[in-house]
Amino acid sequence: MQANKLKKSDQKDLIFELIAKEEQRQKEMIGLIPSENHSSANVRAALGSCLSSKYAEGYPKRRYYEGNQVIDEIELEAQDRLKKLFQVPHVNVQPYSGSPANSAVEFALLEEGDTMMGLSLSSGGHLTHGHPKVTFSGKYFHSVQYGLDENARIDYEQVRQLALKHKPKLIVAGTTAYPFILDFAKFAEIADEVGAYLLADISHITGLVVAGEHPSPIPYAHVVMSTTHKTFRGPRGAMIMVTERGLKKDADLADKIDKAVFPALQGGPHNETTAAIAIAALEALQPEFKEYGKQIRKNTDTLANALKIGGLKLVGDGSENHLILIDLTPFGEGFGTQVAFAMDVAGIYANRNTIPNEPCSPFYPSGIRIGTPLVTTRGMKEKEMKKIAQWIVQVVDRIKDEQLPADKEQRRTFLKDFKKRIIKDEALLKIRAEVKEMAQNFPLFTW
Ligand SMILES: *Cc1c(COP(=O)(O)O)cnc(C)c1O
């Protein structure tokens, strides 16, 4: 009775109407943002559970609040499942998200002013890997950034030379907009040469690593960080793992990481997230998850090939993981914003992105970043990928004359006017109707 009553009044709340509206948007559109995923009903049930009412500062059996008997069991179970899944001796599931997790690793391993190395943002690295000035990592540490070679691959020789010159205490191997396999063995060799810790940030590719579709960093890195909401398909959150190799280098490593997460940077853990991570870990231990990873790879290759057949240029000419960078420079510099917006009008959402050696600017980048984790979770396969590629090609063709003005002052007004016009474009709205018809046949989560 009480529950019923609550439900009725809840439904009148505008926020619940908006949640329903967002769900409808997700169902009717095709999501190609490579860092997003849909999670299972079980993961979402845990997130909406009573666990969020409990304070549990500390770690299992070492809490600062009473009443954590059950929370302890949940957190220990989450740790056990992840240890089994990744074959690691230690894991911390408390980081609120990927960025705080990286800050915790940096805080644990470095003193202010120490040197760290990471892939630059414009080459596909993450802000938290030492992006200068505006980030915690770039401001409090001496950050040295490495980049790509002429084939858009990580320039391992440059990594080595920079490491020898700057003697970093920490090297980060991880990417957020990089379509190729990472050579963790090479990174480990360089880190060992200069005595640095190696952090593998596999946030984007965890699902592929679990499925055996990307080499694992576990034998090579000292610390492995991952978000839990990307290809791993769990709740928004993160985990930090310490490997055997890490404990061999530094027996206190696990303790340092735990203390950096709590009490250095965080307070009470989000127990509902911990439970949802445990559920996602069990899902990832199932054979179906391997199938999911395999299908991501098949879908990405099919999508990449179909885009190329449609005349689009891809950074590095293809993909070895779940994501693709479309290089739009043949259509004009800084064309990414227009294409991302027009795709959204046509029912396909992605994000604009810089390309290696970006000729325009980070504000008006020349690329589009797309990926297949979302559509693969919905059960779409090769046939649908070919259709999606055709739609993207049609969108680009439709707006190919909508070039950014050379004059920088005029760009803002041009984009404002472009958005106003294109939102009513009949050709794009026709594609949107076709997208909707197809997308509706695929529930958000089918695995
Ligand atoms: C997404 C991502 C992060 C940050 O995760 P948030 O949960 O958004 O803070 C860190 N590193 C990499 C490589 C990522 O892709």
Side-chain angles (χ1 to χ4, degrees):
M1 284 288 273
Q2 190 66 17
N4 257 342
K5 234 183 182 172
L6 255 178
K7 215 173 172 190
K8 232 181 182 169
S9 64
D10 282 351
Q11 279 164 355
K12 282 195 207 125
D13 189 328
L14 168 68
I15 292 301
F16 285 93
E17 279 171 35
L18 291 176
I19 292 173
K21 201 170 156 189
E22 168 62 10
E23 186 168 359
Q24 199 55 32
R25 186 197 70 80
Q26 292 186 12
K27 282 181 179 156
E28 288 176 3
M29 291 179 82
I30 288 172
L32 293 180
I33 294 179
S35 50
E36 292 181 3
N37 217 331
H38 301 293
S39 50
S40 69
N42 285 347
V43 164
R44 287 184 295 135
L47 287 175
S49 72
C50 66
L51 300 177
S52 67
S53 352
K54 191 73 198 86
Y55 245 99
E57 279 186 356
Y59 290 99
K61 318 278 186 201
R62 292 178 282 146
R63 304 287 188 186
Y64 291 82
Y65 293 76
E66 298 313 316
N68 278 310
Q69 296 84 351
V70 183
I71 301 296
D72 277 2
E73 285 188 59
I74 290 172
E75 188 167 341
L76 287 170
E77 180 67 17
Q79 290 174 358
D80 282 347
R81 290 179 185 184
L82 290 171
K83 283 189 214 167
K84 185 169 162 199
L85 184 62
F86 291 97
Q87 297 290 306
V88 287
H90 183 82
V91 57
N92 186 312
V93 293
Q94 293 194 4
Y96 297 147
S97 211
S99 303
N102 276 343
S103 298
V105 176
E106 290 153 12
F107 189 87
L109 302 181
L110 305 174
E111 300 290 330
E112 200 178 335
D114 279 351
T115 301
M116 64 175 281
M117 277 177 58
L119 180 65
S120 70
L121 187 67
S122 59
S123 303
H126 194 261
L127 283 164
T128 51
H129 298 172
H131 187 60
K133 292 193 184 112
V134 295
T135 67
F136 169 72
S137 57
K139 200 167 167 175
Y140 292 97
F141 307 115
H142 172 230
S143 158
V144 175
Q145 303 254 278
Y146 55 88
L148 307 174
D149 64 18
E150 63 280 3
N151 298 315
R153 273 20 178 224
I154 285 172
D155 187 343
Y156 293 97
E157 191 42 40
Q158 185 198 30
V159 178
R160 186 166 174 268
Q161 292 306 332
L162 287 172
L164 288 172
K165 180 167 171 211
H166 295 280
K167 298 270 187 293
K169 248 197 197 169
L170 173 67
I171 297 177
V172 187
T175 59
T176 142
Y178 183 74
F180 308 110
I181 300 270
L182 290 170
D183 190 343
F184 293 118
K186 196 86 144 246
F187 274 111
E189 203 183 291
I190 298 166
D192 283 352
E193 210 174 331
V194 297
Y197 287 105
L198 178 61
L199 162 65
D201 175 354
I202 57 169
S203 292
H204 259 261
I205 54 169
T206 318
L208 296 177
V209 169
V210 167
E213 296 293 320
H214 188 292
S216 171
I218 303 295
Y220 304 106
H222 303 109
V223 182
V224 177
M225 195 293 282
S226 176
T227 52
T228 47
H229 49 275
K230 296 180 184 173
T231 52
F232 190 62
R233 239 171 29 182
R236 269 206 130 70
M239 52 194 171
I240 304 174
M241 296 176 272
V242 176
T243 63
E244 296 285 358
R245 201 165 179 276
L247 289 180
K248 221 162 146 191
K249 177 176 169 66
D250 180 351
D252 297 329
L253 194 52
D255 196 43
K256 283 182 188 167
I257 296 284
D258 284 354
K259 282 190 172 132
V261 173
F262 173 86
L265 292 174
Q266 296 191 172
H270 297 178
N271 312 304
E272 69 283 12
T273 305
T274 304
I277 290 174
I279 291 167
L282 188 63
E283 290 172 1
L285 281 159
Q286 307 309 309
E288 289 81 13
F289 198 87
K290 290 216 161 55
E291 287 305 310
Y292 172 60
K294 270 206 183 74
Q295 193 63 46
I296 284 185
R297 282 295 308 124
K298 281 190 208 160
N299 282 353
T300 311
D301 283 345
T302 307
L303 186 58
N305 281 328
L307 289 169
K308 285 199 280 184
I309 290 167
L312 293 183
K313 187 179 168 194
L314 309 182
V315 168
D317 204 38
S319 171
E320 295 168 353
N321 56 24
H322 62 299
L323 77 80
I324 297 166
L325 280 176
I326 305 176
D327 175 353
L328 296 162
T329 46
F331 296 89
E333 289 174 8
F335 196 41
T337 311
Q338 292 95 300
V339 172
F341 190 78
M343 278 170 65
D344 192 57
V345 174
I348 303 173
Y349 58 102
N351 66 278
R352 64 183 197 274
N353 215 96
T354 53
I355 54 167
N357 303 313
E358 174 60 51
C360 197
S361 88
F363 302 104
Y364 304 107
S366 304
I368 290 283
R369 185 183 73 148
I370 58 175
T372 58
L374 282 164
V375 290
T376 308
T377 291
R378 295 182 72 171
M380 294 184 195
K381 298 217 163 87
E382 288 89 328
K383 184 173 148 227
E384 286 76 32
M385 296 308 116
K386 287 179 191 160
K387 197 70 220 165
I388 292 170
Q390 277 174 11
W391 283 322
I392 294 173
V393 170
Q394 284 171 17
V395 170
V396 174
D397 187 58
R398 174 69 190 169
I399 62 156
K400 63 177 185 296
D401 299 327
E402 302 278 356
Q403 296 298 327
L404 271 187
D407 182 76
K408 286 190 179 144
E409 303 290 302
Q410 286 174 14
R411 285 178 176 173
R412 277 228 332 248
T413 28
F414 164 79
L415 281 173
K416 224 166 122 187
D417 172 69
F418 167 77
K419 287 182 178 180
K420 239 198 236 148
R421 276 188 290 114
I422 219 71
I423 207 159
K424 292 182 251 146
D425 185 84
E426 274 179 30
L428 296 182
L429 292 175
K430 184 168 165 282
I431 299 174
R432 188 187 184 92
E434 291 169 19
V435 165
K436 180 173 168 182
E437 198 177 310
M438 185 185 95
Q440 278 174 335
N441 297 327
F442 294 88
L444 294 182
F445 188 95
T446 54
W447 288 71

